[in-house]
Amino acid sequence: MFGFIGVGQAGGSVADEAMKRGFHSVAINYSLSDLNSLVNVQDKLHLVGTEGVGKERSVAAKHMKNNWESSIEFIKNTMEKPSVQVIFVVFSAAGGTGSGVAPILLELLNECLTHKTIVAVPILPDSNEVLVNQMNSLELLEDLSMPETCVLPLDNQMVLSKYDGKISETRLYKETNKMFLDLIEVLLNYTDRGSKISTLDRKDLNQLFDTPGIMTIAQTDLNEFTNEGKYFDKLHDDIQKSWNNSIFTPVEFENVMRAGVILDVHEFLTEHISYNELFNVFDNKMPLDLFKGHYDKGNRAITILSGLTWINERMKQLDDLIETGNTEMKETTVYKARNRRREDLFKPKKLENKESKKTSYMEALKKLKR
């Protein structure tokens, strides 16, 4: 059901691990050496024009004018498998190739693979990464901020916090990739399980991933409740807290369009779940659509929220890091986005209906002139 397109070095690493786990995966990169380092992915596209882009998003985008046709042909040839319904496009927000190519590629994919569900998975940097990485990420998020697709922002900062900041950079990246793919596998496994009460099937999961806007996926350990060590009135609080304590960027509580809730607990605990209370932290109080799966072999809840408001707070964090970094650099260093009106950069973005935002190839290619 799931396929992976890894763009750039970071995306390629995720695709390589996904292929190892049995997911159909391909990789795209300007760097031939990065492509050659992938041991599991067999389908690779070497973009022409430059051997790497040195973290320059504009260079990556510029050279797509000579690569967009071959990219579409490559993806059509490799991702048209009927078994692949949802395609994750994974890339680093901080680098050059992924950050520069992905926004263009996503628009082209939405145009030429209309029968597939496309999910953008930008990998955001932790606060220890260099200034240019933070700058690239802020610009990338601005490019994606009126999404036609589901955006699932994998966040190295959130993974780093789980280790109290005491983890090497190399291990951090591996752990982020592992946790992400572990979670995707868990979701798929539940869609194959039966239930006496209700199931969350693959069609439900597809609809969640087909919702434009920010998505998050979170797990909550319910052992303390099933062992009667915790009062049931804390149940909703714990699940709500998990939404801002996952491996994805913390959510903002304006609107939630769709939600999926997997309760894998003894039946008696499900009786203490009130969905009205669970979602009352959102301004719209309840999602427009809710998919439920009730199972009884474990002690956890998994929540999938989609169509969430854009991650403006995360963009502000990036901007603050950039502003701090710029004051410590030479005056000749100019951040091109610094003079943008902050109220425009961070104003809430309203979601549009996916069908009303169809773009053409030429529309996407306008971005190449930047």
Side-chain angles (χ1 to χ4, degrees):
M1 179 187 180
F2 292 160
F4 289 80
I5 299 174
V7 187
Q9 185 179 36
S13 296
V14 175
D16 206 46
E17 177 61 26
M19 190 74 185
K20 183 179 177 181
R21 297 179 183 221
F23 293 107
H24 180 62
S25 306
V26 304
I28 299 174
N29 207 328
Y30 283 108
S31 172
L32 185 59
S33 60
D34 285 347
L35 288 174
N36 289 338
S37 70
L38 305 178
V39 296
N40 301 303
V41 171
Q42 300 302 311
D43 294 315
K44 307 172 187 179
L45 177 64
H46 181 213
L47 301 175
V48 300
T50 178
E51 178 57 28
V53 298
K55 294 188 178 182
E56 294 189 47
R57 298 184 71 237
S58 59
V59 173
K62 174 185 174 183
H63 285 289
M64 275 300 284
K65 66 185 177 184
N66 298 319
N67 289 285
W68 71 273
E69 290 178 300
S70 61
S71 297
I72 290 173
E73 183 180 2
F74 170 76
I75 290 170
K76 279 187 172 181
N77 290 338
T78 57
M79 304 304 289
E80 282 283 12
K81 297 176 180 293
S83 60
V84 176
Q85 292 299 313
V86 178
I87 300 173
F88 295 97
V89 182
V90 189
F91 55 95
S92 170
T97 297
S99 182
V101 168
I104 301 165
L105 192 61
L106 287 164
E107 290 194 36
L108 296 174
L109 288 173
N110 276 315
E111 179 75 16
C112 70
L113 293 180
T114 55
H115 54 297
K116 305 283 188 182
T117 297
I118 311 298
V119 180
V121 186
I123 306 173
L124 302 184
D126 68 80
S127 58
N128 297 320
E129 294 192 32
V130 296
L131 183 62
V132 68
N133 291 12
Q134 315 295 342
M135 290 163 58
N136 283 343
S137 299
L138 182 60
E139 292 176 7
L140 179 278
L141 289 178
E142 187 176 8
D143 283 348
L144 293 182
S145 61
M146 291 294 286
E148 292 183 16
T149 62
C150 173
V151 180
L152 185 58
L154 193 53
D155 204 326
N156 282 331
Q157 182 62 36
M158 296 302 294
V159 178
L160 183 67
S161 67
K162 295 182 184 300
Y163 291 90
D164 298 321
K166 299 173 182 178
I167 184 174
S168 70
E169 184 178 75
T170 301
R171 190 179 166 210
L172 172 63
Y173 297 159
K174 288 182 178 178
E175 286 298 307
T176 300
N177 297 352
K178 180 182 181 300
M179 289 180 181
F180 170 55
L181 292 171
D182 284 350
L183 197 51
I184 294 301
E185 286 187 327
V186 166
L187 291 182
L188 269 184
N189 288 339
Y190 274 110
T191 64
D192 290 330
R193 288 176 56 176
S195 169
K196 297 177 182 178
I197 308 173
S198 63
T199 61
L200 191 146
D201 60 29
R202 295 195 177 192
K203 185 178 179 181
D204 298 334
L205 201 54
N206 196 343
Q207 288 193 64
L208 289 164
F209 281 119
D210 200 37
T211 307
I214 292 294
M215 171 182 270
T216 198
I217 307 168
Q219 295 191 72
T220 313
D221 187 340
L222 301 181
N223 269 303
E224 292 186 21
F225 293 101
T226 54
N227 294 331
E228 299 182 3
K230 219 170 190 182
Y231 292 111
F232 293 127
D233 60 358
K234 299 294 184 184
L235 182 58
H236 300 97
D237 287 344
D238 278 17
I239 295 175
Q240 290 165 351
K241 287 175 182 176
S242 74
W243 299 336
N244 284 339
N245 192 33
S246 68
I247 58 174
F248 304 103
T249 297
V251 305
E252 299 188 22
F253 294 103
E254 290 186 34
N255 291 300
V256 54
M257 301 298 289
R258 284 181 172 143
V261 179
I262 296 171
L263 294 176
D264 192 0
V265 292
H266 191 280
E267 189 175 341
F268 83 90
L269 191 57
T270 65
E271 298 172 2
H272 295 273
I273 291 283
S274 163
Y275 291 104
N276 286 324
E277 188 172 346
L278 182 61
F279 293 107
N280 68 5
V281 291
F282 290 97
D283 290 352
N284 65 335
K285 302 303 180 184
M286 277 291 287
L288 300 180
D289 213 352
L290 178 60
F291 306 99
K292 306 170 189 175
H294 291 175
Y295 309 89
D296 59 2
K297 302 295 183 184
N299 286 301
R300 64 181 170 187
I302 299 175
T303 41
I304 310 158
L305 310 179
S306 62
L308 295 164
T309 310
W310 195 249
I311 47 174
N312 295 300
E313 286 300 318
R314 187 64 169 96
M315 289 181 72
K316 287 181 181 179
Q317 290 174 13
L318 289 166
D319 188 63
D320 289 343
L321 282 169
I322 292 162
E323 290 296 315
T324 301
N326 275 327
T327 61
E328 297 172 355
M329 296 176 70
K330 294 180 181 179
E331 292 181 4
T332 53
T333 301
V334 178
Y335 172 45
K336 65 182 179 182
R338 193 171 183 179
N339 294 323
R340 294 180 183 142
R341 293 172 57 199
R342 293 173 65 91
E343 61 268 31
D344 288 341
L345 185 60
F346 302 125
K347 65 185 178 183
K349 309 292 197 305
K350 293 182 179 179
L351 298 177
E352 297 184 26
N353 183 278
K354 186 174 182 179
E355 293 301 316
S356 69
K357 287 205 67 188
K358 291 293 183 185
T359 58
S360 67
Y361 293 140
M362 295 309 298
E363 193 78 21
L365 288 174
K366 287 178 183 178
K367 296 194 172 190
L368 304 181
K369 298 179 181 179
R370 291 181 178 177

